[in-house]
Amino acid sequence: MAGVGPNLECRMYEAKYPEVDMAVMIQVKYIAELGAYVSLIEYNNIEGMILLSELSKRRIRSVNSLIKVGRIEPVMVLRVDKDKGYIDLSKRRVSEEDIANCEERYNKSKLVHSIMRHVAETVSIDLEDLYVRIAWPLYRKYGHAFEAFKTVVTDPDSVLDQLTYQVKTTGPDGKEVTEVLPAVTPEIKDALIKIVRRRMTPHPLKIRADIELKCFHFDGVLHIKDAMRRAEAAGTKDCPVKIKLVAPPLYVLTTQTLDKDQGISTLSKAIVACTEEIERHNGKLTVKDAPRTVSERDDKLFQDQLEKLRQDNEERGGDDDSEDEDETGMGDVDVENAGFDV
């Protein structure tokens, strides 16, 4: 018969119950006549209730339009009866600021919880014991264990080697003795470092901007090339800028960086440099989409778009008549096929 594994259920925070006037993340379980019964996700799914009168500031015409079974969202704590285990909550009293703060805290806590649960399962220890030894002390010291784990990625010893916990034992004389032990054993430390580094090592963000670049000057293609060089020169070692032709006169500027604000700022400077250079030769730069982060899905759609354009160009086989070129001027010359290294 297989042995019983470790208990992997535990609340995220040291306090068993939330404080009054605190925003918490809940999941709706079912809706009754008096209100909605929910589980408090951060507190090991203990039950709470939102009265119908606390669902909305406006007159309620349809409960289902305000709250749905299975939905996860922040609400405000109104009352906590620790003796009876009653928790009254409100949806209508939670502000936009409360929602933002709650979601940020919850997303960090959810990642910490996932890491702790994985470690507990790996080393076969109860999850609450692991929280008592590691996570809750880190919450107290760093404000949030997430912040401590960010340091663990690069300097685990400074965070983990300082943690201790107390064990009460009976001495030879029969008296109770309190012994202070390292909270993190070599086995736990090895598992925790591996999982934290895998889950929390930052990945570069891709920042992108879409522009139109035209120049009707006699040497327009050369001036576009110079403007593109100016744009790329605005990049840095940590935030290099690349510019690529999509289809005349549309270009995209991209960079990859760990710092979103730095990436957006760098692309903005690149656009300014490119604009200054092309306008010196009576050209024009138009920003179609300002610098912003793009997801892997966005990037794949963009690559698919490029591939479709390449196929369309191959099918046309260079049979476009000259009238189109006259309408758009030198800004429509295909820089990629004009011998330029872009």
Side-chain angles (χ1 to χ4, degrees), residues 16 45 58 70-71 80 84 118 155 177 240 242 250 261 275 287:
K16 292 183 178 181
N45 294 314
R58 299 185 295 272
R71 178 182 292 173
V80 177
K84 297 181 180 180
H118 195 160
D155 186 13
V177 178
K242 298 294 181 184
L250 182 62
D261 293 337
T275 301
V287 178

Side-chain angles (χ1 to χ4, degrees), residues 247-248 308-321 324 334:
K308 185 176 185 301
L309 287 169
R310 290 193 191 97
Q311 292 175 359
D312 290 344
N313 286 335
E314 291 175 0
E315 290 173 3
R316 285 200 298 267
D319 292 334
D320 295 339
D321 55 43
D324 291 337
D334 188 341

Side-chain angles (χ1 to χ4, degrees), residues 253-302:
L253 291 90
T254 59
T255 187
Q256 286 190 319
T257 177
L258 296 175
D259 187 330
K260 175 183 174 182
D261 293 337
Q262 180 189 29
I264 290 176
S265 174
T266 300
L267 279 197
S268 297
K269 291 176 182 177
I271 290 173
V272 170
C274 192
T275 301
E276 291 174 350
E277 180 62 26
I278 202 67
E279 287 183 349
R280 286 179 57 240
H281 303 283
N282 299 319
K284 183 179 180 182
L285 185 152
T286 304
V287 178
K288 305 301 290 184
D289 281 299
R292 76 272 185 207
T293 56
V294 291
S295 65
E296 290 184 8
R297 180 176 180 275
D298 294 330
D299 200 38
K300 185 179 184 304
L301 290 173
F302 173 60

Side-chain angles (χ1 to χ4, degrees), residues 111 114-115 118-119 122 153 190-203:
L111 178 56
S114 175
I115 290 170
H118 195 160
V119 173
T122 300
V153 172
D190 182 62
L192 181 60
I193 292 171
K194 286 180 180 178
I195 295 168
V196 167
R197 284 178 174 167
R198 185 167 68 245
R199 299 291 301 277
M200 295 194 64
T201 298
H203 300 287

Side-chain angles (χ1 to χ4, degrees), residues 44-110:
N44 203 23
N45 294 314
I46 58 176
E47 190 176 77
M49 183 179 183
I50 308 173
L51 292 172
L52 291 179
S53 60
E54 293 296 334
L55 285 177
S56 174
K57 296 178 182 179
R58 299 185 295 272
R59 181 181 176 182
I60 300 175
R61 295 185 177 180
S62 171
V63 173
N64 290 329
S65 67
L66 297 172
I67 197 162
K68 295 183 183 298
V69 173
R71 178 182 292 173
I72 295 175
E73 59 184 306
V75 296
M76 184 67 70
V77 178
L78 296 182
R79 287 172 291 276
V80 177
D81 188 328
K82 297 180 181 180
D83 295 329
K84 297 181 180 180
Y86 295 157
I87 302 175
D88 293 333
L89 306 161
S90 172
K91 180 177 177 177
R92 71 182 182 90
R93 303 192 195 199
V94 65
S95 67
E96 291 298 324
E97 182 180 1
D98 293 329
I99 291 173
N101 291 336
C102 181
E103 288 178 343
E104 181 182 6
R105 183 196 70 230
Y106 171 67
N107 287 332
K108 291 179 178 179
S109 303
K110 183 170 63 171

Side-chain angles (χ1 to χ4, degrees), residues 29-47:
K29 295 170 63 178
Y30 61 94
I31 300 171
E33 291 185 7
L34 295 177
Y37 286 87
V38 305
S39 57
L40 280 68
I41 302 174
E42 298 159 286
Y43 294 86
N44 203 23
N45 294 314
I46 58 176
E47 190 176 77

Side-chain angles (χ1 to χ4, degrees), residues 66-248:
L66 297 172
I67 197 162
K68 295 183 183 298
V69 173
R71 178 182 292 173
I72 295 175
E73 59 184 306
V75 296
M76 184 67 70
V77 178
L78 296 182
R79 287 172 291 276
V80 177
D81 188 328
K82 297 180 181 180
D83 295 329
K84 297 181 180 180
Y86 295 157
I87 302 175
D88 293 333
L89 306 161
S90 172
K91 180 177 177 177
R92 71 182 182 90
R93 303 192 195 199
V94 65
S95 67
E96 291 298 324
E97 182 180 1
D98 293 329
I99 291 173
N101 291 336
C102 181
E103 288 178 343
E104 181 182 6
R105 183 196 70 230
Y106 171 67
N107 287 332
K108 291 179 178 179
S109 303
K110 183 170 63 171
L111 178 56
V112 169
H113 194 70
S114 175
I115 290 170
M116 296 298 291
R117 199 173 189 276
H118 195 160
V119 173
E121 191 171 17
T122 300
V123 301
S124 192
I125 183 175
D126 283 356
L127 181 57
E128 186 166 348
D129 288 344
L130 208 57
Y131 262 97
V132 170
R133 290 192 192 188
I134 299 174
W136 291 336
L138 292 179
Y139 269 100
R140 292 195 298 268
K141 183 175 181 179
Y142 289 85
H144 200 294
F146 178 88
E147 304 302 325
F149 283 178
K150 286 199 299 186
T151 303
V152 168
V153 172
T154 55
D155 186 13
D157 293 348
S158 67
V159 176
L160 303 178
D161 290 354
Q162 311 302 317
L163 297 175
T164 60
Y165 75 111
Q166 296 181 349
V167 176
K168 292 184 178 181
T169 59
T170 302
D173 57 358
K175 293 183 179 179
E176 188 176 74
V177 178
T178 300
E179 188 176 1
V180 178
L181 301 174
V184 184
T185 65
E187 184 185 18
I188 292 174
K189 184 176 182 180
D190 182 62
L192 181 60
I193 292 171
K194 286 180 180 178
I195 295 168
V196 167
R197 284 178 174 167
R198 185 167 68 245
R199 299 291 301 277
M200 295 194 64
T201 298
H203 300 287
L205 298 170
K206 190 162 189 177
I207 314 293
R208 175 180 157 190
D210 298 3
I211 63 171
E212 282 188 355
L213 192 58
K214 295 181 180 181
C215 184
F216 297 92
H217 194 277
F218 176 75
D219 292 328
V221 174
L222 298 178
H223 298 317
I224 287 175
K225 176 182 177 182
D226 290 338
M228 294 166 69
R229 285 174 171 167
R230 284 286 304 278
E232 292 191 339
T236 64
K237 181 180 178 181
D238 296 330
C239 203
V241 173
K242 298 294 181 184
I243 183 168
K244 185 177 182 67
L245 173 69
V246 178

